[in-house]
Amino acid sequence: MPWFARRQRRSPIVLLALVAMILGACSSGATIAAPSNSGATDQPPTGLGAAAGAFANVDSYRFTMTLAGASYSSMLAMLPTSSAVGNAPFTMGGTITIKPVIGADITMVGLHIIEIGGHDYMDVGGTGAFDQITITGTRLADRFSPATMFSTTIDPSTVGGYELVGTGSKNGVSADHYQASSAALATLGAISGIAGATWSADIWIARSGGYPVSMAIIAEAADKSIVHEVLFDISNVGDPANSVKVPTNVTGA
């Protein structure tokens, strides 16, 4: 019997604990960083170094995010699909709002999570019905949002391993394109413990607003299979249409 078909056998608290563990694993997968910039000064960060702070100041955005690679296999195997094992990708997306209210509306394999007004609402298995659970600790959206993924990967002490390589349109905005240097890519491989892979790391920063528009950290094996991947794309920053609402079909309220 599929995992999500046994939904009625799990209490909302058990479901919340399971999702927290899954999403905590997503967040921890983003801690690989380029080598620190030994020449950093006390000057205020600009460009890539200021992007995490700029991201924290946006009012709202939409996103897609993908994780893949054997390092996530144990986490992916817990999801309600037999294909989510090994190097299979795990994709999520949705809307994050910071102002005027903090909220998140996230969908992923077999799960739809809405956070608003101090509650988590979870639909497990795409049934259309949501369990309501009071938030008592760290919000789940804070664990795995693109802002968390980016800030744990890039900060003013780690930008020295990236080089500005051009400017162009990305996700509908003008953005600066940064790539990790050869030394930074070697460090990515060493930190990850993945041997024999070819790494790439690209980040796009909006020229107006300074927030991250896209991040792609990828490792390919010799046979071109993906052995590690962290991707996200940001769009509709500050769009008035971005909103998070309490679902209408709620149980356990």
Side-chain angles (χ1 to χ4, degrees):
M1 180 183 297
W3 177 78
F4 58 84
R6 299 194 298 270
R7 180 174 183 266
Q8 68 274 16
R9 299 183 184 179
R10 297 179 183 269
S11 72
I13 298 301
V14 171
L15 289 171
L16 181 62
L18 178 58
V19 174
M21 181 165 56
I22 293 172
L23 300 182
C26 293
S27 177
S28 65
T31 57
I32 296 176
S36 62
N37 179 5
S38 60
T41 70
D42 293 331
Q43 296 298 316
T46 60
L48 187 57
F55 206 177
N57 290 328
V58 303
D59 291 346
S60 65
Y61 59 90
R62 299 177 194 174
F63 79 97
T64 60
M65 186 161 62
T66 299
L67 305 175
S71 58
Y72 300 111
S73 61
S74 60
M75 179 260 295
L76 299 178
M78 300 172 62
L79 296 172
T81 171
S82 59
S83 64
V85 294
N87 290 343
F90 170 76
T91 300
M92 65 183 76
T95 300
I96 302 289
T97 61
I98 308 301
K99 298 176 183 178
V101 295
I102 295 176
D105 189 330
I106 311 297
T107 57
M108 61 191 77
V109 178
L111 296 171
H112 184 184
I113 302 173
I114 296 175
E115 293 188 355
I116 189 75
H119 293 92
D120 287 308
Y121 300 90
M122 287 199 300
D123 173 6
V124 180
T127 66
F130 290 79
D131 292 314
Q132 176 181 305
I133 306 166
T134 300
I135 299 173
T136 57
T138 302
R139 296 186 313 116
L140 295 182
D142 285 342
R143 289 177 172 267
F144 68 98
S145 73
T148 297
M149 298 290 286
F150 185 83
S151 64
T152 55
T153 305
I154 301 296
D155 62 35
S157 69
T158 63
V159 298
Y162 286 79
E163 301 168 349
L164 179 61
V165 295
T167 299
S169 178
K170 187 69 172 177
N171 297 340
V173 301
S174 179
D176 288 331
H177 180 192
Y178 293 83
Q179 284 185 333
S181 65
S182 297
L185 294 177
T187 299
L188 287 173
I191 292 174
S192 70
I194 298 174
T198 300
W199 287 81
S200 64
D202 294 85
I203 296 172
W204 288 261
I205 304 298
R207 292 178 63 81
S208 176
Y211 53 85
V213 174
S214 181
M215 183 171 76
I217 299 177
I218 303 169
E220 287 188 353
D223 63 1
K224 302 301 182 181
S225 64
I226 301 298
V227 292
H228 184 90
E229 182 176 69
V230 180
L231 311 175
F232 73 64
D233 284 283
I234 304 299
S235 65
N236 299 85
V237 171
D239 189 334
N242 295 341
S243 66
V244 178
K245 298 180 179 179
V246 175
T248 57
N249 188 8
V250 177
T251 62

